[in-house]
Amino acid sequence: MHTPKCNFHTHTVFCDGKSSAEEMVLSAIKKGFTAIGFSGHCLHPLNPEFYEPFDSIWHIRSENIKAYTEEICRLKEKYSEQIKIYLGFEADYFSSTQYGTAIPSKKDYAEFSPDYLIGAVHFINTDKGFFTVDHKPEIVKENLIRFYSKPDGSIDGRAAVCDYFSSEREMLKKGDFDIIAHCDLIKLRNGPINFFNPKESWYKEELKATAKEIKRAGVIAEINTGAIGRGNMDDTYPSKYFLELLFELGVPICINSDAHTTAMLDCAFDRAAEMAKKTGYTELVYPGNNIVEL
C-alpha cells in the first residue's frame, strides 16, 4: 500500500518544532510528498507571555507571526514547481474570564491570510486556574490533583475529561476552521497516570457527543500520529472507537503526523491509512481540494 503523501500538521522553529520550515519542505520533497501545510501553534490574539508563569511556551510569539507568514510564502514561491505549500496555524481555543479568549476563527486570523486553520484544545480551564493536558505526565498529574481532587484525595478524572470535551465542543460551536486537531488528546497521559477508564459508558457518551459536534461543524477530523512519532503513546488520535463514530456520521478525515522534526513527517502513515481503510474510509480530504484515495 502506498502511504498518503500530504501533511497539514507541521511545526517548525517558529514555535516548538526542531527543524526550519525550509528543512521541512526539502524533507517532504525527498519523501515524495505532493503537499505540505505549515501549522504553527498560535494563541491569537493572546500573547503567549500571559501564561509563562504557569507553563512552558510553545506558541509563535505575536511579534514573530509576520516573519512566519513571510517565510512560508517565500517557500511557496521558491518550491512551487516541486510541491504545494500551504500557510496555516494550529489555533488554540482558550477561554478565561481572567485572561480573555482565543478562538480558531478565520475572521480573527484574516490579517495573516492563512490557507487553512487547525482548531485545537490543549488547555483545561477551571475556576482555580488552567493547565495543558499534554504536558509531562508528572506535571499533568500534579495539576489534576490541584484542580480535580475529591474530598478523599483521589482524582476526579471524569470531571477533568468532561471539562476537556466540553471545551472542544465549545470550540466547534464558536470557531471557524478546517481541521480539528487530535480530538481525544486528553487520553495522552492516561497511560502513566490512569485517571479514567475509556471503556466506561460515560466516556463513550462524551465521544459520541463530540463526534456529533464535529459533524455539525463541518470540519475535517485528522488521524494524528504524533504521539507514536514521539514515543509517548502507541496509538493515534482518534482512537479506533472514536474513528468508527466519525465514520458512521460521515465526517471526512485526513492523516497528519503533527511533525516537529523532518524525521516525523510521514511517521506511521501506513498504519493510520490501514486503520482508516478498516473503518470504511476510502479517501482522505485536505484543505485546498486535496483528496487522496486510500
Side-chain angles (χ1 to χ4, degrees):
M1 181 182 64
H2 294 290
T3 303
K5 290 295 183 178
C6 293
N7 184 63
F8 277 63
H9 196 149
T10 313
H11 298 291
T12 71
V13 291
F14 279 102
C15 52
D16 61 344
K18 306 303 181 185
S19 304
S20 71
E22 189 155 16
E23 287 171 335
M24 285 292 196
V25 170
L26 292 172
S27 179
I29 292 171
K30 185 176 180 180
K31 291 174 183 286
F33 278 68
T34 58
I36 182 170
F38 287 95
S39 54
H41 285 291
C42 201
L43 262 171
H44 182 71
L46 300 181
N47 188 316
E49 289 182 353
F50 87 96
Y51 71 93
E52 188 168 12
F54 308 95
D55 215 336
S56 61
I57 290 179
W58 71 89
H59 296 80
I60 303 173
R61 289 190 176 274
S62 56
E63 63 268 24
N64 294 333
I65 294 177
K66 182 180 179 181
Y68 165 71
T69 60
E70 288 177 346
E71 174 64 0
I72 305 307
C73 289
R74 181 186 74 84
L75 296 173
K76 274 188 185 188
E77 183 175 351
K78 181 176 180 179
Y79 295 99
S80 61
E81 295 184 3
Q82 295 170 269
I83 190 171
K84 292 180 180 178
I85 298 174
Y86 296 85
L87 168 65
F89 293 91
E90 182 176 3
D92 245 302
Y93 176 73
F94 184 90
S95 182
S96 165
T97 54
Q98 183 177 359
Y99 296 103
T101 301
I103 298 176
S105 165
K106 292 178 181 178
K107 179 181 178 182
D108 288 346
Y109 281 78
E111 63 184 286
F112 310 120
S113 301
D115 297 311
Y116 70 101
L117 291 180
I118 296 178
V121 174
H122 293 89
F123 295 91
I124 292 182
N125 280 293
T126 74
D127 293 338
K128 300 176 184 177
F130 58 88
F131 67 101
T132 52
V133 301
D134 58 342
H135 211 306
K136 296 177 181 178
E138 61 271 21
I139 295 178
V140 173
K141 184 175 182 179
E142 176 185 313
N143 281 302
L144 287 170
I145 293 171
R146 179 183 176 190
F147 299 129
Y148 290 98
S149 285
K150 295 180 180 178
D152 64 2
S154 63
I155 294 172
D156 190 346
R158 177 174 178 174
V161 170
C162 289
D163 280 352
Y164 178 82
F165 283 117
S166 177
S167 290
E168 200 160 72
R169 292 192 292 269
E170 282 298 308
M171 175 184 71
L172 287 158
K173 290 174 182 175
K174 297 177 181 178
D176 176 21
F177 52 94
D178 302 281
I179 301 172
I180 182 168
H182 36 61
C183 51
D184 50 357
L185 180 65
I186 187 67
K187 73 182 182 183
L188 177 62
R189 302 306 184 189
N190 192 45
I193 302 175
N194 191 29
F195 61 100
F196 71 93
N197 182 353
K199 295 182 179 180
E200 291 187 358
S201 59
W202 67 264
Y203 182 76
K204 292 181 178 180
E205 289 303 314
E206 286 295 315
L207 297 188
K208 289 177 182 177
T210 305
K212 290 178 181 177
E213 195 57 40
I214 291 172
K215 171 63 176 178
R216 186 210 60 77
V219 300
I220 302 165
E222 66 173 11
I223 299 181
N224 183 309
T225 63
I228 298 172
R230 287 189 285 276
N232 292 326
M233 182 178 65
D234 188 30
D235 196 10
T236 62
Y237 314 102
S239 64
K240 180 177 180 292
Y241 175 74
F242 202 170
L243 186 63
E244 289 170 350
L245 294 175
L246 296 171
F247 175 72
E248 290 172 3
L249 291 170
V251 174
I253 61 164
C254 64
I255 296 175
N256 284 328
S257 63
D258 201 343
H260 288 65
T261 65
T262 56
M264 281 182 60
L265 266 174
D266 55 359
C267 173
F269 268 24
D270 283 344
R271 176 175 169 180
E274 188 62 28
M275 179 179 170
K277 287 180 69 175
K278 286 182 177 179
T279 304
Y281 282 100
T282 59
E283 66 179 22
L284 306 175
V285 179
Y286 297 86
N289 295 318
N290 288 282
I291 298 177
V292 178
E293 293 187 6
L294 288 169

